Amino acid sequence: MPDEQTGAQTMDEYIRGLPKAELHVHIEGTLEKDLMCALGERNGVTLPASCTDPDAEAAYHFDDLRAFLDLYYEGVAVLVTRQDFYDLTAAYVRRAHADGAQHVELFFDPQSHVPRGVPFGVVVEGIRGALVDAERELGVSSHLIMCFLRDQSPAGAMVTLEAARPYRHVIAGVGLDSAEAGHPPREFADVFRVAREAGFLTVAHAGEEGPAEYVTEALDLLHVARIDHGVRAADDPALVQRLARERIPLTMCPLSNQELQVTPDLAQHPLKRLLDAGVVVTANSDDPAYFGGYLAANYAAAQRALCLSRADLAALARNSITASWLPQARRVRLLHELDRYIRARS
Ligand code: HPA
Ligand code: ZN
């Protein structure tokens, strides 16, 4: 609703209306508690305690990434059938679309499903089915990125990569997620080389809990196209200059970083400093069902904590489109839509 006195858009409306892309979201991290409990019942899976505990209404609280991941991996146990993955993905894209996302690049974690007996194809086809329908119904385009769990072995990642080969046409890229500390990118150099040779684009989580050196390793040894998070890169001025010079995008996630105590005080988050240093910074939701908000809420939280201007917010949206893996024609179309949106409000 426009502000009644001035007719001006509120900041939240401005944010939601910005045409943009989401480039860092784990589909399993969009599992809202209601759907988790409903799927648990539908599949006869033992429900997580939070479904039966009347005190569980309280917001999630996490001391660190590991504490979050324990709960996250417990939650995914309710996802069993193709329809479950379809329902999960359809619900996410509806929310992203309501937040102004025109394009989404989604992570999924086969290693948290296949060992439970859920076939790789069930996961991919369920997610993909919802993405195809969402593009037709909402006009939201998408890419899928398969992540390897870095706290499991590189050999396990290689097996997962082989399982993905028949789905190469629907999986745009591979990434690296899960517990970062003590699991440096270099351990996955061979897997990423084979993935690149098979035609997958590559990204990696780095510099979330791990040091700036992990960001450098992801660039030099995994040859990634983007860094997911990259918060700790801000500790190394030479690395910041390199990211800006080489136009390597960072997919940052302010609410996640706040909730996982990476930057407990969002006012200290390096997003604005990196943006001002010329880095291609984007804002994203990571695991929105757990961290208190979807795409627009992440823009809004960063705006409030770091006093971002409308021009800063527009720069984040522009970066998200530029850093996406969209074909050139659609990328240019979305950038024009963004320009029109900004011009109409200046
Ligand atoms: N960090 C690392 N791995 C993850 C995350 C995260 O925030 N969410 C799901 N897997
Ligand atoms: Zn992530």
Side-chain angles (χ1 to χ4, degrees), residues 24 26 65 68-69 72-73 109 176-180 205 208 229 256 260 286-287 291:
H24 184 159
H26 303 260
L65 177 58
F68 157 68
L69 289 170
Y72 166 92
Y73 292 128
D109 287 336
L176 191 62
D177 69 358
S178 203
E180 185 182 7
H205 284 53
E208 180 186 19
H229 290 295
S256 166
L260 299 185
D286 209 3
D287 301 283
F291 301 149

Side-chain angles (χ1 to χ4, degrees), residues 302-344:
Q303 191 280 322
R304 279 192 299 274
L306 300 168
C307 304
L308 301 185
S309 65
R310 291 190 183 212
D312 291 330
L313 294 166
L316 291 174
R318 182 178 311 282
N319 288 346
S320 73
I321 298 167
T322 308
S324 76
W325 294 339
L326 277 169
Q328 181 72 354
R330 178 155 167 77
R331 189 193 322 223
V332 168
R333 202 169 329 123
L334 289 182
L335 288 171
H336 283 155
E337 263 183 48
L338 175 62
D339 284 338
R340 267 200 306 279
Y341 182 85
I342 297 165
R343 259 202 313 276

Side-chain angles (χ1 to χ4, degrees), residues 104-116:
V104 297
E105 298 188 357
L106 290 184
F107 297 129
F108 71 108
D109 287 336
Q111 288 166 289
S112 60
H113 309 301
V114 173
R116 297 184 290 112

Side-chain angles (χ1 to χ4, degrees), residues 85-156:
F85 287 94
Y86 182 101
D87 292 348
L88 174 70
T89 308
Y92 161 69
V93 183
R94 274 195 302 275
R95 288 190 157 101
H97 179 249
D99 279 1
Q102 309 289 323
H103 175 72
V104 297
E105 298 188 357
L106 290 184
F107 297 129
F108 71 108
D109 287 336
Q111 288 166 289
S112 60
H113 309 301
V114 173
R116 297 184 290 112
V118 182
F120 192 97
V122 163
V123 179
V124 176
E125 286 160 18
I127 297 171
R128 187 68 202 154
L131 293 176
V132 169
D133 288 352
E135 178 149 20
R136 196 181 56 247
E137 290 161 18
L138 303 172
V140 178
S141 52
S142 57
H143 284 314
L144 266 181
I145 304 174
M146 176 180 83
C147 280
F148 305 115
L149 303 187
R150 68 197 312 155
D151 48 356
Q152 297 192 14
S153 70

Side-chain angles (χ1 to χ4, degrees), residues 91-335:
Y92 161 69
V93 183
R94 274 195 302 275
R95 288 190 157 101
H97 179 249
D99 279 1
Q102 309 289 323
H103 175 72
V104 297
E105 298 188 357
L106 290 184
F107 297 129
F108 71 108
D109 287 336
Q111 288 166 289
S112 60
H113 309 301
V114 173
R116 297 184 290 112
V118 182
F120 192 97
V122 163
V123 179
V124 176
E125 286 160 18
I127 297 171
R128 187 68 202 154
L131 293 176
V132 169
D133 288 352
E135 178 149 20
R136 196 181 56 247
E137 290 161 18
L138 303 172
V140 178
S141 52
S142 57
H143 284 314
L144 266 181
I145 304 174
M146 176 180 83
C147 280
F148 305 115
L149 303 187
R150 68 197 312 155
D151 48 356
Q152 297 192 14
S153 70
M158 201 67 98
V159 169
T160 306
L161 178 59
E162 291 310 315
R165 275 190 197 271
Y167 299 92
R168 168 69 196 88
H169 57 298
V170 291
I171 302 175
V174 300
L176 191 62
D177 69 358
S178 203
E180 185 182 7
H183 301 287
R186 61 178 170 271
E187 293 176 1
F188 294 87
D190 278 348
V191 183
F192 271 63
R193 181 182 45 75
V194 175
R196 284 196 315 281
E197 286 167 1
F200 292 100
L201 300 171
T202 58
V203 295
H205 284 53
E208 180 186 19
E209 284 195 335
E213 293 78 62
Y214 283 18
V215 174
T216 303
E217 267 189 28
L219 295 175
D220 291 342
L221 302 181
L222 305 187
H223 304 285
V224 295
R226 301 192 297 243
I227 295 287
D228 298 313
H229 290 295
V231 177
R232 296 273 85 86
D235 300 341
D236 178 345
L239 178 56
V240 171
Q241 279 183 9
R242 176 182 180 188
L243 293 171
R245 192 174 60 244
E246 297 183 10
R247 296 195 55 73
I248 294 155
L250 301 184
T251 64
M252 306 198 96
C253 307
L255 287 174
S256 166
N257 296 154
Q258 182 176 47
E259 293 304 307
L260 299 185
Q261 320 302 325
V262 171
T263 48
D265 177 5
L266 263 195
Q268 306 300 320
H269 196 283
L271 179 146
K272 166 75 170 150
R273 264 182 290 139
L274 292 166
L275 195 61
D276 289 346
V279 179
V280 184
V281 175
T282 66
N284 308 272
S285 70
D286 209 3
D287 301 283
Y290 293 90
F291 301 149
Y294 284 76
L295 188 56
N298 275 274
Y299 275 64
Q303 191 280 322
R304 279 192 299 274
L306 300 168
C307 304
L308 301 185
S309 65
R310 291 190 183 212
D312 291 330
L313 294 166
L316 291 174
R318 182 178 311 282
N319 288 346
S320 73
I321 298 167
T322 308
S324 76
W325 294 339
L326 277 169
Q328 181 72 354
R330 178 155 167 77
R331 189 193 322 223
V332 168
R333 202 169 329 123
L334 289 182
L335 288 171

